[in-house]
């Protein structure tokens, strides 16, 4: 139990705030809690640390700015101090029936997601019309109370004497980039019309916004997958020692050493054994785990690898990249790189084991025409999603696509790349398409089913033509 849960806190005026539940915590900085004060339920934001008063004031100013602009937001009931815990506390009206829009979107179908996205886009348009922006723009910072959208998190609200076209477009693009890339492709024109219905002072060009959305998405994904998961953060625990660098998913408490991993890789656990890579299925802390060990095969190979990030690090980054983009892949669990004098040696990538057939096995086992047709469509949508994201896999053989709950899941990510240039992305995607279609050369019916689906799903047929698919 959290030390603040079920705690009574004395406020500066002598009143008592009872904490019922800690909803969110930024260690040593801020707590967001559900509580009870003066016979009513409240959200309590408790600001701790050196700059607690400054952050509390900024949050209160943001709420006031929203209120002044007539934008729906929960009411600030009290801003006060607590000498007992040396903190500033904001007590905010609790809308107990309201639901977080990000959670609603996660559980909703396409129609529900579109309606919710439209409502939030309209709320952002009202921000911009009032020369306000939310600097921490996520769907989770909006609540749905009946039919009304509430903006929360006043700390992120900033006021501008005159909000520039560029700043407003960038802010809107950040929000839209949180949608799935296929949704953006389909919904963008309608979303922009909804925005301009509320704020017609911003002349939006769909192509310009699409480019800005793509740039925002790539920036956010790269910052997370190429930087954040290699340092200590909420999601990852990092140890940078003399003999090893270790990054471990926060929920994976058992962290074996390289020597312990080598002991687990015994002949009957090995799935694949090659010169440069050994793959084994083992049990760690009563959990099935796939170890992918990247071996050093020679002195020359060691000299070429010791200076640059390991292929294990590529797999670690790419697994997090796909997760952030909501593309199924096994849960990344740990990255271990052995080091000597700061130089890299053997490296290990650990991921959760997923018991599921690969795509070729699925089609052999499943003869239901409806399910087969739906899975063909889902797989082609995955390819198109990767194409729009400028991501190439690098080895699209059937064994690298698992079938989980009738949806494709990508594995073997060490050759995956997110390209900056469209030309390079298209060239690599064509290679992925050609390699994938070679899986079905001996099955004309399945080959033709994929061909037909590619023609329907892809709006850009040029890449299909260059892959000799049409």
């Amino acid at each position: 139990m959290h030390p603040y849960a079920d705690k009574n806190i004395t406020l500066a005026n002598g009143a008592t705030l009872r904490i019922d539940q800690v909803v969110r915590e930024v260690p040593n900085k801020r707590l967001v809690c559900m509580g009870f004060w003066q016979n009513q339920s409240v959200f309590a934001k408790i600001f701790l640390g050196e700059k607690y008063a400054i952050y509390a004031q900024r949050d209160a100013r943001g709420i006031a700015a929203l209120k002044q602009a007539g934008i729906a937001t929960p009411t600030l009931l009290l801003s006060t101090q607590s000498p007992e815990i040396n903190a500033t506390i904001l007590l905010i009206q609790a809308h107990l029936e309201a639901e977080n829009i990000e959670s609603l979107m996660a559980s909703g179908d396409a129609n529900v997601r579109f309606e919710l996205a439209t409502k939030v886009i309209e709320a952002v348009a009202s921000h911009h019309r009032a020369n306000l922006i939310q600097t921490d723009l996520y769907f989770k910072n909006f609540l749905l109370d009946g039919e009304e959208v509430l903006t929360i998190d006043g700390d992120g609200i900033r006021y501008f004497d005159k909000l520039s076209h560029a700043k407003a477009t960038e802010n809107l693009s950040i929000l839209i980039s949180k949608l799935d890339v296929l949704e953006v492709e389909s919904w963008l024109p309608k979303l922009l019309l909804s925005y301009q219905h509320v704020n017609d002072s911003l002349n939006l060009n769909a192509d310009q916004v699409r480019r800005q959305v793509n740039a925002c998405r790539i920036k956010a994904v790269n910052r997370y997958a190429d930087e954040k998961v290699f340092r200590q953060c909420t999601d990852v625990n990092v140890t940078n020692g003399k003999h090893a660098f270790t990054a471990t998913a926060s929920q994976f408490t058992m962290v074996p050493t390289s020597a312990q991993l080598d002991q687990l890789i015994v002949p009957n656990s090995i799935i694949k054994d090659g010169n440069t890579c050994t793959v084994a299925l083992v049990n760690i802390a009563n959990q099935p785990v796939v170890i992918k060990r990247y071996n050093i095969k020679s002195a020359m190979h060691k000299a070429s690898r010791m200076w640059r990030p390991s292929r294990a690090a590529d797999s670690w980054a790419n697994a997090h990249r796909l997760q952030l983009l909501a593309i199924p892949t096994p849960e990344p669990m740990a990255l271990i790189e052995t080091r000597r004098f700061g130089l890299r040696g053997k490296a290990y990538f650990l991921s959760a084991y997923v018991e599921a057939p690969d795509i070729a096995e699925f089609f052999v086992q499943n003869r239901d025409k409806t399910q087969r047709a739906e899975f063909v469509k889902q797989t082609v949508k995955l390819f198109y999603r990767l194409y729009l994201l400028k991501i190439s896999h690098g080895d699209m053989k059937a064994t690298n696509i698992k079938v989980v709950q009738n949806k494709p899941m990508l594995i073997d990510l060490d050759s995956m790349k997110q390209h900056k240039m469209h030309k390079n992305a298209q060239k690599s995607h064509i290679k992925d398409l050609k390699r994938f279609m070679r899986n079905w050369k001996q099955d004309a019916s399945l080959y033709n089913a994929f061909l037909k689906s590619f023609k329907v799903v892809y709006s850009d047929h040029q890449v299909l033509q260059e892959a000799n698919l049409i």
Side-chain angles (χ1 to χ4, degrees):
M1 181 181 290
H2 195 281
Y4 274 82
D6 292 329
K7 182 180 178 69
N8 290 323
I9 296 174
T10 303
L11 306 178
N13 62 2
T16 298
L17 166 67
R18 191 187 77 220
I19 302 298
D20 294 326
Q21 178 186 358
V22 176
V23 178
R24 184 167 180 261
E25 179 178 15
V26 180
N28 302 317
K29 291 185 179 180
R30 184 170 68 251
L31 291 170
V32 181
C33 309
M34 278 294 298
F36 202 74
W37 167 78
Q38 289 193 349
N39 299 318
Q40 62 182 308
S41 294
V42 295
F43 270 102
K45 283 192 173 183
I46 303 174
F47 295 84
L48 308 161
E50 284 184 20
K51 299 182 179 179
Y52 64 86
I54 295 173
Y55 294 133
Q57 289 169 6
R58 192 168 68 187
D59 203 315
R61 282 198 302 269
I63 295 171
L66 291 168
K67 286 286 188 181
Q68 187 173 355
I71 296 168
T73 189
T75 300
L76 175 60
L77 302 171
L78 180 68
S79 175
T80 186
Q81 307 290 318
S82 174
E84 178 187 348
I85 58 172
N86 193 27
T88 296
I89 299 177
L90 302 184
L91 300 182
I92 299 169
Q93 176 189 11
H95 289 252
L96 297 178
E97 302 301 318
E99 296 180 85
N100 185 274
I101 287 184
E102 184 172 88
S103 298
L104 290 172
M105 292 183 74
S107 60
D109 61 17
N111 291 331
V112 168
R113 287 177 60 83
F114 174 72
E115 289 177 11
L116 291 169
T118 300
K119 287 178 180 292
V120 176
I121 293 289
E122 290 172 346
V124 170
S126 68
H127 294 179
H128 294 171
R129 188 179 59 192
N131 290 319
L132 300 173
I133 65 167
Q134 165 61 270
T135 59
D136 190 26
L137 202 47
Y138 289 87
F139 285 98
K140 68 183 179 183
N141 281 332
F142 297 89
L143 303 177
L144 185 66
D145 192 3
E147 291 299 312
E148 186 175 49
V149 172
L150 304 175
T151 300
I152 60 174
D153 191 18
D155 181 56
I157 300 296
R158 300 291 183 274
Y159 173 77
F160 293 79
D161 291 331
K162 181 172 176 56
L163 185 60
S164 70
H165 182 282
K167 192 72 176 175
T169 302
E170 180 190 27
N171 190 238
L172 176 63
S173 298
I174 288 171
L175 178 69
I176 296 175
S177 73
K178 303 299 192 297
L179 296 170
D180 182 84
V181 67
L182 293 183
E183 294 173 338
V184 175
E185 185 79 359
S186 174
W187 299 347
L188 186 61
K190 292 179 181 178
L191 293 177
L192 297 185
L193 282 176
S194 296
Y195 177 96
Q196 292 189 298
H197 180 72
V198 176
N199 181 27
D200 59 4
S201 65
L202 189 63
N203 185 24
L204 295 169
N205 177 281
D207 289 336
Q208 180 187 359
V209 173
R210 185 176 284 106
R211 286 192 295 272
Q212 183 83 54
V213 167
N214 290 339
C216 290
R217 183 190 298 112
I218 289 171
K219 182 179 178 181
V221 170
N222 288 349
R223 187 169 57 227
Y224 183 76
D226 296 331
E227 298 176 20
K228 188 173 181 179
V229 296
F230 289 89
R231 62 175 188 258
Q232 186 70 32
C233 63
T234 305
D235 297 336
V236 177
N237 295 316
V238 168
T239 303
N240 198 354
K242 185 177 180 181
H243 300 294
F245 170 86
T246 303
T248 311
S250 56
Q251 69 272 22
F252 186 45
T253 54
M254 175 66 178
V255 189
T257 64
S258 59
Q260 290 170 331
L261 291 175
D262 287 339
Q263 290 175 358
L264 290 171
I265 301 174
V266 294
N268 64 358
S269 72
I270 293 175
I271 301 171
K272 173 186 173 184
D273 197 9
N275 286 335
T276 60
C277 181
T278 302
V279 183
L281 174 59
V282 305
N283 191 289
I284 299 176
N286 297 318
Q287 182 175 356
V289 175
V290 174
I291 302 173
K292 199 165 187 181
R293 183 180 65 195
Y294 295 86
N295 306 314
I296 301 297
K297 61 182 181 180
S298 67
M300 186 174 291
H301 184 223
K302 182 176 183 177
S304 72
R305 295 300 320 181
M306 63 175 53
W307 302 99
R308 51 197 170 119
S310 64
R311 291 170 66 199
D314 292 337
S315 292
W316 174 254
N318 285 330
H320 285 94
R321 178 174 280 106
L322 292 185
Q323 284 200 318
L324 199 62
L325 294 167
I327 295 176
T329 194
E331 189 79 24
M333 301 178 77
L335 161 68
I336 299 170
E337 292 180 333
T338 60
R339 300 282 174 90
R340 187 176 183 187
F341 305 115
L343 302 176
R344 295 174 177 86
K346 281 191 302 185
Y348 307 75
F349 171 61
L350 278 61
S351 63
Y353 173 68
V354 177
E355 177 64 51
D358 66 41
I359 188 171
E361 292 170 334
F362 169 81
F363 284 118
V364 170
Q365 297 167 5
N366 193 322
R367 310 312 298 176
D368 185 289
K369 291 183 179 180
T370 301
Q371 290 183 15
R372 285 165 66 93
E374 177 61 24
F375 189 74
V376 166
K377 182 180 178 181
Q378 291 295 331
T379 304
V380 171
K381 280 188 171 183
L382 169 64
F383 270 83
Y384 192 45
R385 184 177 280 114
L386 294 172
Y387 174 64
L388 294 173
L389 293 166
K390 295 187 175 67
I391 291 175
S392 64
H393 181 273
D395 189 11
M396 278 293 191
K397 58 189 178 187
T399 52
N400 285 334
I401 304 175
K402 294 277 193 178
V403 182
V404 180
Q405 297 178 344
N406 284 332
K407 290 187 178 180
M409 170 181 279
L410 289 178
I411 64 171
D412 197 9
L413 309 179
D414 50 19
S415 297
M416 194 182 101
K417 288 183 174 60
Q418 182 154 31
H419 302 271
K420 294 180 180 179
M421 305 297 293
H422 176 74
K423 184 178 179 180
N424 294 338
Q426 183 161 310
K427 184 178 178 180
S428 295
H429 188 70
I430 289 167
K431 289 181 180 178
D432 276 351
L433 288 172
K434 287 181 174 180
R435 177 64 188 90
F436 177 74
M437 292 304 288
R438 286 206 304 272
N439 293 307
W440 322 114
K441 279 291 187 182
Q442 307 306 316
D443 189 332
S445 174
L446 203 47
Y447 187 92
N448 289 329
F450 276 112
L451 280 183
K452 182 179 179 180
S453 189
F454 275 118
K455 292 175 188 177
V456 172
V457 171
Y458 278 55
S459 61
D460 179 5
H461 280 190
Q462 181 186 349
V463 70
L464 300 180
Q465 289 169 349
E466 293 190 27
N468 299 319
L469 297 186
I470 58 175

